[in-house]
Amino acid sequence: MTRRRWRITLLAALATIGAIYPATTLFADNSWLGPVTFIVALVAGLGLAGRGLTRSRGLVVLAQVLVTGYVVLARWTGDSFTLFLPTPATLEAANLLGLQALDTVTRYSVPAPLNDGITFCLVIAVAVVAIAVDAMAATWRSPAAAGLPLLTAYLITTMNSNDVLALRYFVVPVLLWLVMLHTTARAQFGQWGTANSADHSDIDEAAHDRDALRSFTAGALKLGAAGVMVALIVPAVIPHFPPRYLTEGLGRSGDGGGEGSVGFNDTLDLSRSLNNQDQSPVLTYTTTAFTRAPLRVLATSYYSRGQWLVASSTGTRPESPPPLPSLDRRRDYVITVSDNTLAAPRIAAPYPVVAVAMEGTPWSIDPVTRDVRVGRAVSSYRVTYADLAPSPPQLREAGAPDSPDITDDDLSIPDSSRELVQRWSDEVTRGQGNELDKAIAIQDHLRDTSRYTYSLDLGEPRRDAQGRILEPIQNFYETRRGYCVQFATAMIMMARAQGIPARMAIGFLPGQLSGERYVVRASDAHAWPELYFQGYGWLRFEPTPGARAGTPPPYAVLGSDSGPTQGGRGVTESASRSATSVARTTAAAPTVAPVPQQRGVLDRIGAFLTVRNLAVAVAVVVGLLAAFSMPITAWLVRLRRRRAAVTQQDLIEAEWDDLTSHLGDLGILAPDGVTLRQLRERYVGEGHLDEEHATAMRRVTATLEKSRYDRPERTTQQEASRLHDDIRSIRRQVGRTRAWPTRVRSFFWPAAGVSFWRSLPQRLLSRRR
Amino acid sequence: MTTTDTGIETTATSGPPPGASADGATGADLVLIHEVADRLIGAMTSVIEGKADVVRTTVTVLFAGGHLLIEDVPGVGKTMLAKTLARSIDATVRRIQFTPDLLPSDVTGVSIFNQDARRFEFRPGAIFANVVVGDEINRASPKTQSALLESMEEQQVTVDGTTYQLQTPFIVMATQNPIEMEGTYPLPEAQRDRFMARISMGYPAPRAELDLLETHGSSSPLDALTPVTDAETINRVVQSVSRVHASPAVRQYIVDLVSRSRSTTALRLGASPRAALHLLRASRAYAALEGRDHVIPDDVQVLAGPVLAHRLMPSSETQLARRTTAEVVADLLRQVPVPPAAR
């Protein structure tokens, strides 16, 4: 046993290192591996020693936490110790290290440079994982649970890594984990064996053990094979499985409402994101502008396999953003944001940003996209932004786009959809001579609610002739339904097909007035296309119709010459989805802002009591009744039989029939010509009854035998009631030894209930006769 | 053979004892049965080694008041078994070696004219004993066989118009060799029906055979055997056994078994009502032997083979399939539900 403990501890430590190792891809050099390995070894050693000294598991973990914590603090913040003990200064030092790490992580993309702060945080994280794995695998002897912290450690790397991790990074920790499982299972199995052979040391016993082990192994192999098959088949059936696991979706708040920051990740999955209906506020702001523009968070040109990804630096990047048009061709406004909960490093601001003011927080502007990035989350800031307000005639004469600002990504169309997009785009822009008219034609085409439907529900993805799921753009073309992401993507691709550089911008709609300030909620998250016009840069368009969409900017409205106007073509699709906050901004008249949506309880109940919901409820009830019809029948039959019992013998027989029928459901059948004693042996053997329940079984058959074959008056009341309890405990015990599908089937499809329905026609016929 | 002719009790003897069936077996009955069975089985197993089940069935038949047919190949200890049982009981024992020229009167007895007394005197035959060992019964002529079998059933002998009661207990243990068929007269089914049970010895297990070579090499263990019980005790045991409780469920089970044997296509001739009666009696004895005062279906199942198999006639399909009636009985046991099976 001690050797096994050694082995498990060692395996746990190795698995921890194996799960942490992929993090080497995240950092510039690997010198952190040394201290991390030391810490893992320390945790393992402490665990081993602790388990040898005490039986209290909590104590072992406590010792691991305290000693490891002390060692880590002493190594990295040892200068602040007094008399070998940490002081408040230690906390400060640790905090500084943490801040340094945070700064590094937010400032640098992968691979990040290594410094003391990063190493310190890594060591702490690894120590937590190592203690968790060691505690679960060795201290509590359930290595299966240890898979969770290992997986978490692995996922942290995958989530932060930009590339696809090599398979070996996954295989090694998983193999170690499996070996761990195997070792513990073997040890536990061996314990059963020794407990058995202590009673009767037969030669057969060993052979029996081997047989049992073999059948166990065979079962495990089958399970494993099934697991591998499922792991291979499921991803094949569900392509476009989002590769981000924890923080998917835009503007999704961490805890589903209330306080808490809203995070943007760098992926926008065309088929999933931006359908957030969370009403929690993200930020509030005031603006000096008369017209409110959407608040942009980030922009990206890189589209790949149905997703918009924020590409890491590829190729040459300009040092600084290109200069904005001169002051006479633009107007600057100031937006003052407060109560911002957007997670660092992003902030929301109208485009294009001219200047940012925030107290003491470092910030930078992405030279290509002009995204503002901040070092840490800020609750309030001030941004000066420009309103370029170009007039359509100017834009029409802007000429062909040619600027270092434009990359290949801005014009690329996915191969799988190129043909379709080209055809579609040509059709829509037929007869339009210049970029602006083409763009407006595309926008208005998409905003036409007779052609396209705005819906958060994308429905089942379509499949092509080969049964593969369509590329999202094709899917949108087929289904003609979607929300902002689909519309914006379609416009971007169609614009690119016409040679207009286009990219995806993600951010928030301008929000609604609440008191003095505008409130932007998580559900205001929005996506729109930006098209490049020579001399004016990236300009916003608004192809999304109706609900949860913005107004097209003035230049994008046919027939307007300049200046702000009432937007679009009056596309005011009624807000059929009442839960969606409608943000149709009335550009010229902010005074007619929509009424805040305060809905009464009665309204909510009324909304719930729709025909559809009622039908669903009825269907659920009927379905439940149908699913439970057999157990209910069996229960009723049993009850009726008990009530009909006249003598004690009848009652005992009813109980016994109950047991035989239940055990029959569990797979232990009672053949016709079997006597009670033979049946008893069968139940004890096949039901894997332990000594206690075997004794109960013997009591039951003895009572039954007495009741059946001895003189009736000899069976006492006491025996009869004892029988009832014994039968219940036997039923439970046998149930425990069965596989769960058998148990589920025995519950939902009991022979007692089924036979009632089967014999019903016959009984009805005989009664009529 | 220690054959002591101890008079002939021609007087009417014990009918059923008062309150035999109504009251049920008492604890004292069970103790008695258990004690006697222990001693008997102990004595017999000291001679017949490695055949515990055969010994047990033999004792069961003795206690049930039936007769035993031992059928097997030569040399496996048929006669030894019979002799062992006979020797274990302090009672009159006769052994008849059946030959084709054996006359009925040799079995039943004969009236001869006493010159001195000037009258006919009855000279009892070999059957006037508590334990009668009939060796190779199939070698006797049918006439002699039927004389024996008639007296077995009736427990009395009628010679020249006078009826003589046989002694109690009265057990006939006949052996029969199924292999050597030439010059034999196999018992007809009707007569086999008189035997409560048929057992076959079977070859001993290798180890038992080894022991046998060791012990039987020098002297017969039979010589060392002394009686462990007497005729009177056996009589009381037989009466006690008849008081063992057989519940309606068990009786129903026996009837089910027997009637199924009559309807099954595997048999040309099913079990007789007498077979049912014998099965019940044997089951009672077996239950008592097990220390129970009530019969359970397990007892019936144990004895169904020995009690039923020799009375049944296989159908031609069964014969063609080379299946024995014992196998058919085993099938019946598997098919007939053990009552109460009503759902």
Side-chain angles (χ1 to χ4, degrees):
Chain A
M1 204 54 219
T2 345
R3 226 179 60 206
R4 285 227 164 87
R5 280 296 186 86
W6 257 105
R7 223 183 289 165
I8 284 288
T9 311
L10 191 66
L11 281 170
L14 285 178
T16 309
I17 293 176
I20 291 294
Y21 187 76
T24 46
T25 58
L26 297 182
F27 300 102
D29 73 298
N30 293 337
S31 61
W32 57 273
L33 267 179
V36 158
T37 312
F38 168 74
I39 285 299
V40 172
L42 177 70
V43 168
L46 284 171
L48 208 58
R51 285 187 288 275
L53 289 174
T54 170
R55 297 189 77 83
S56 162
R57 293 161 168 178
L59 218 58
V60 174
V61 176
L62 189 71
Q64 282 174 320
V65 170
L66 288 180
V67 175
T68 315
Y70 180 84
V71 169
V72 171
L73 284 180
R75 162 69 180 76
W76 274 275
T77 62
D79 303 343
S80 60
F81 277 30
T82 315
L83 291 172
F84 300 107
L85 281 178
T87 57
T90 312
L91 259 178
E92 233 165 79
N95 189 33
L96 273 178
L97 283 171
L99 283 178
Q100 188 189 8
L102 192 67
D103 185 52
T104 313
V105 168
T106 49
R107 186 170 299 174
Y108 295 96
S109 70
V110 170
L114 201 67
N115 53 37
D116 266 2
I118 290 280
T119 315
F120 176 71
C121 287
L122 262 175
V123 163
I124 287 183
V126 171
V128 169
V129 171
I131 291 173
V133 171
D134 187 73
M136 289 172 189
T139 311
W140 268 274
R141 287 187 227 171
S142 43
L148 269 181
L150 290 176
L151 186 68
T152 310
Y154 174 78
L155 280 184
I156 287 173
T157 309
T158 53
M159 283 189 45
N160 290 300
S161 164
N162 279 340
D163 301 324
V164 175
L165 276 183
L167 194 62
R168 62 175 186 280
Y169 290 126
F170 184 68
V171 166
V172 170
V174 163
L175 273 183
L176 285 167
W177 179 63
L178 286 179
V179 172
M180 212 152 73
L181 275 184
H182 176 78
T183 311
T184 312
R186 272 304 285 265
Q188 280 165 359
F189 200 86
Q191 276 178 336
W192 304 351
T194 46
N196 268 347
S197 51
D199 295 340
H200 16 245
S201 50
D202 252 9
I203 310 163
D204 289 349
E205 204 67 36
H208 187 259
D209 271 2
R210 264 202 304 282
D211 279 351
L213 190 60
R214 204 170 300 134
S215 85
F216 231 72
T217 318
L221 271 179
K222 274 182 215 155
L223 264 182
V228 170
M229 290 304 287
V230 168
L232 287 177
I233 289 168
V234 167
V237 175
I238 315 173
H240 301 296
F241 210 75
R244 298 293 189 270
Y245 299 98
L246 295 184
T247 57
E248 64 166 286
L250 253 174
R252 181 159 294 181
S253 96
D255 52 4
E259 296 294 311
S261 69
V262 175
F264 269 58
N265 65 20
D266 291 351
T267 316
L268 184 56
D269 184 341
L270 204 47
S271 53
R272 294 176 65 100
S273 310
L274 281 194
N275 49 6
N276 192 339
Q277 302 201 18
D278 187 356
Q279 292 293 318
S280 55
V282 175
L283 53 88
T284 62
Y285 68 90
T286 57
T287 174
T288 57
F290 198 49
T291 315
R292 291 183 302 126
L295 284 74
R296 206 182 73 165
V297 175
L298 57 93
T300 173
S301 307
Y302 182 54
Y303 179 81
S304 167
R305 304 165 82 179
Q307 293 182 341
W308 289 97
L309 302 163
V310 174
S312 57
S313 52
T314 51
T316 53
R317 287 168 67 92
E319 287 295 309
S320 61
L324 288 167
S326 57
L327 267 171
D328 56 328
R329 288 170 65 190
R330 66 172 213 233
R331 231 173 296 162
D332 286 1
Y333 299 108
V334 176
I335 180 172
T336 312
V337 175
S338 54
D339 303 329
N340 175 36
T341 59
L342 203 61
R346 307 284 185 192
I347 61 167
Y351 177 83
V353 171
V354 178
V356 180
M358 52 184 80
E359 283 160 19
T361 309
W363 59 275
S364 62
I365 289 190
D366 187 288
V368 175
T369 62
R370 283 179 187 272
D371 298 342
V372 180
R373 287 165 176 258
V374 289
R376 59 180 165 85
V378 284
S379 102
S380 59
Y381 54 89
R382 213 164 62 240
V383 173
T384 309
Y385 68 97
D387 180 2
L388 299 176
S391 68
Q394 289 169 333
L395 288 177
R396 286 200 178 91
E397 284 149 22
D402 174 30
S403 158
D405 240 8
I406 303 165
T407 65
D408 291 345
D409 282 344
D410 292 327
L411 283 165
S412 81
I413 303 171
D415 291 340
S416 53
S417 308
R418 190 189 306 280
E419 217 171 293
L420 171 83
V421 168
Q422 192 67 50
R423 186 157 39 83
W424 189 9
S425 174
D426 287 348
E427 205 174 291
V428 169
T429 59
R430 189 173 298 142
Q432 306 296 340
N434 56 62
E435 270 84 14
L436 180 68
D437 288 340
K438 284 178 181 173
I440 292 175
I442 295 169
Q443 175 188 268
D444 288 356
H445 172 78
L446 290 169
R447 285 188 75 109
D448 186 348
T449 49
S450 65
R451 286 201 186 94
Y452 299 97
T453 313
Y454 179 90
S455 169
L456 289 178
D457 179 15
L458 295 180
E460 280 291 303
R462 301 280 176 97
R463 288 164 189 279
D464 62 9
Q466 279 85 48
R468 285 173 305 200
I469 288 180
L470 287 179
E471 220 278 299
I473 300 170
Q474 292 178 24
N475 192 53
F476 175 70
Y477 182 77
E478 297 276 331
T479 60
R480 299 187 171 250
R481 60 193 284 143
Y483 43 88
C484 51
V485 183
Q486 282 74 30
F487 283 97
T489 308
M491 175 150 184
I492 292 165
M493 292 306 160
M494 282 156 84
R496 285 179 180 179
Q498 295 304 318
I500 310 170
R503 69 187 186 190
M504 174 68 98
I506 302 159
F508 294 97
L509 289 170
Q512 290 166 37
L513 194 63
S514 166
E516 294 285 296
R517 310 178 69 83
Y518 292 97
V519 178
V520 173
R521 298 175 191 278
S523 60
D524 287 329
H526 188 49
W528 62 89
E530 286 180 348
L531 273 59
Y532 192 85
F533 285 87
Q534 188 63 35
Y536 296 90
W538 296 94
L539 296 180
R540 175 172 74 88
F541 282 79
E542 188 50 272
T544 312
R548 287 188 71 174
T551 344
Y555 49 81
V557 179
L558 214 58
S560 76
D561 279 341
S562 71
T565 48
Q566 184 78 20
R569 281 193 165 179
V571 186
T572 50
E573 186 187 338
S574 67
S576 57
R577 301 183 65 97
S578 54
T580 313
S581 101
V582 183
R584 278 191 310 280
T585 322
T586 44
T591 43
V592 287
V595 188
Q597 302 208 339
Q598 292 289 332
R599 305 182 53 201
V601 177
L602 274 177
D603 282 356
R604 280 167 193 245
I605 293 173
F608 182 74
L609 284 178
T610 58
V611 174
R612 192 177 152 201
N613 282 353
L614 281 178
V616 167
V618 168
V620 165
V621 169
V622 169
L624 280 177
L625 272 181
F628 288 93
S629 63
M630 290 305 157
I632 292 172
T633 313
W635 179 72
L636 287 176
V637 166
R638 207 178 306 141
L639 204 67
R640 201 178 63 175
R641 204 160 156 210
R642 290 231 175 99
R643 292 234 172 101
V646 180
T647 61
Q648 191 165 270
Q649 273 66 38
D650 295 343
L651 206 60
I652 290 177
E653 289 294 336
E655 296 265 14
W656 174 252
D657 281 352
D658 189 19
L659 180 69
T660 50
S661 129
H662 182 72
L663 295 191
D665 289 337
L666 290 175
I668 314 176
L669 297 171
D672 269 342
V674 179
T675 65
L676 273 180
R677 292 177 178 212
Q678 291 158 354
L679 201 54
R680 176 189 70 199
E681 293 315 310
R682 196 182 186 123
Y683 284 161
V684 169
E686 289 184 22
H688 305 297
L689 295 182
D690 53 15
E691 200 39 56
E692 181 196 341
H693 290 93
T695 314
M697 189 76 223
R698 277 180 213 117
R699 264 200 306 271
V700 168
T701 45
T703 308
L704 192 70
E705 207 164 66
K706 216 162 158 188
S707 142
R708 276 184 181 178
Y709 306 123
D710 206 343
R711 289 166 198 77
E713 64 275 7
R714 285 206 186 158
T715 315
T716 62
Q717 181 68 42
Q718 203 178 0
E719 282 171 327
S721 57
R722 184 85 194 253
L723 178 104
H724 180 76
D725 298 339
D726 282 342
I727 280 183
R728 285 187 58 171
S729 78
I730 292 165
R731 277 181 61 153
R732 228 172 293 135
Q733 173 68 16
V734 175
R736 252 176 245 145
T737 64
R738 303 287 123 171
W740 67 266
T742 316
R743 284 157 77 175
V744 169
R745 203 191 53 210
S746 81
F747 178 78
F748 283 106
W749 202 247
V754 176
S755 66
F756 173 83
W757 291 106
R758 283 221 177 110
S759 62
L760 190 65
Q762 224 168 2
R763 274 182 288 133
L764 285 179
L765 277 178
S766 64
R767 189 172 293 179
R768 191 165 292 173
R769 221 173 280 148
Chain B
M1 293 253 40
T2 55
T3 318
T4 48
D5 285 13
T6 54
I8 310 133
E9 288 151 67
T10 51
T11 48
T13 50
S14 55
S21 59
D23 201 8
T26 60
D29 288 336
L30 285 180
V31 170
L32 172 75
I33 293 168
H34 202 248
E35 203 177 304
V36 174
D38 260 5
R39 275 184 303 189
L40 261 181
I41 290 172
M44 287 178 74
T45 41
S46 72
V47 178
I48 313 288
E49 279 156 19
K51 290 281 167 208
D53 48 341
V54 170
V55 169
R56 211 167 171 78
T57 314
T58 310
V59 174
T60 306
V61 171
L62 171 71
F63 284 7
H67 307 290
L68 189 65
L69 181 63
I70 310 170
E71 193 176 82
D72 217 326
V73 293
V76 289
K78 297 188 294 289
T79 315
M80 184 65 109
L81 178 74
K83 276 158 72 181
T84 309
L85 180 65
R87 186 73 71 87
S88 306
I89 305 167
D90 183 14
T92 52
V93 177
R94 285 289 186 88
R95 178 180 172 179
I96 313 169
Q97 184 69 46
F98 284 91
T99 52
D101 58 350
L102 195 75
L103 293 173
S105 57
D106 294 335
V107 176
T108 53
V110 64
S111 289
I112 52 169
F113 189 72
N114 189 329
Q115 292 281 2
D116 298 338
R118 294 198 164 266
R119 62 187 171 102
F120 281 95
E121 273 183 3
F122 180 66
R123 187 149 247 205
I127 201 154
F128 285 86
N130 292 117
V131 180
V132 178
V133 180
D135 239 353
E136 307 212 59
I137 191 169
N138 53 342
R139 293 208 175 276
S141 65
K143 202 176 172 187
T144 315
Q145 284 176 356
S146 52
L148 170 75
L149 294 164
E150 187 197 340
S151 40
M152 270 168 62
E153 182 63 21
E154 324 253 301
Q155 293 238 354
Q156 61 186 20
V157 172
T158 307
V159 176
D160 293 342
T162 318
T163 299
Y164 305 93
Q165 285 291 333
L166 297 181
Q167 308 169 11
T168 53
F170 175 59
I171 178 168
V172 174
M173 288 187 284
T175 68
Q176 179 167 257
N177 179 356
I179 298 297
E180 235 176 306
M181 300 306 280
E182 204 167 319
T184 63
Y185 307 90
L187 287 180
E189 279 73 20
Q191 298 193 342
R192 281 199 297 228
D193 203 23
R194 309 277 167 89
F195 289 96
M196 179 177 269
R198 177 192 63 181
I199 54 174
S200 49
M201 302 290 291
Y203 291 109
R207 169 160 301 183
E209 198 159 7
L210 204 66
D211 290 350
L212 185 134
L213 289 186
E214 221 163 81
T215 51
H216 290 232
S218 49
S219 66
S220 170
L222 205 57
D223 300 338
L225 200 63
T226 52
V228 291
T229 182
D230 55 17
E232 185 49 38
T233 315
I234 296 295
N235 259 338
R236 270 168 46 213
V237 166
V238 171
Q239 279 162 24
S240 297
V241 162
S242 66
R243 287 196 290 267
V244 167
H245 176 74
S247 67
V250 169
R251 280 178 271 165
Q252 183 64 48
Y253 184 47
I254 291 173
V255 170
D256 287 350
L257 271 176
V258 169
S259 61
R260 181 69 73 93
S261 80
R262 292 167 197 156
S263 62
T264 179
T265 53
L267 295 173
R268 192 149 56 91
L269 178 70
S272 60
R274 177 163 40 207
L277 210 59
H278 277 176
L279 185 54
L280 179 60
R281 267 164 59 190
S283 301
R284 278 188 165 130
Y286 193 83
L289 226 58
E290 295 281 300
R292 254 180 288 109
D293 64 348
H294 56 274
V295 183
I296 61 172
D298 298 81
D299 305 331
V300 179
Q301 290 202 346
V302 167
L303 288 163
V307 173
L308 295 182
H310 65 286
R311 305 164 199 258
L312 308 174
M313 281 169 70
S315 65
S316 42
E317 288 91 350
T318 311
Q319 276 176 315
L320 277 176
R322 293 186 172 278
R323 295 175 70 222
T324 63
T325 49
E327 285 165 359
V328 175
V329 170
D331 280 353
L332 287 180
L333 289 178
R334 272 194 290 275
Q335 288 160 12
V336 176
V338 178
R343 284 268 159 83

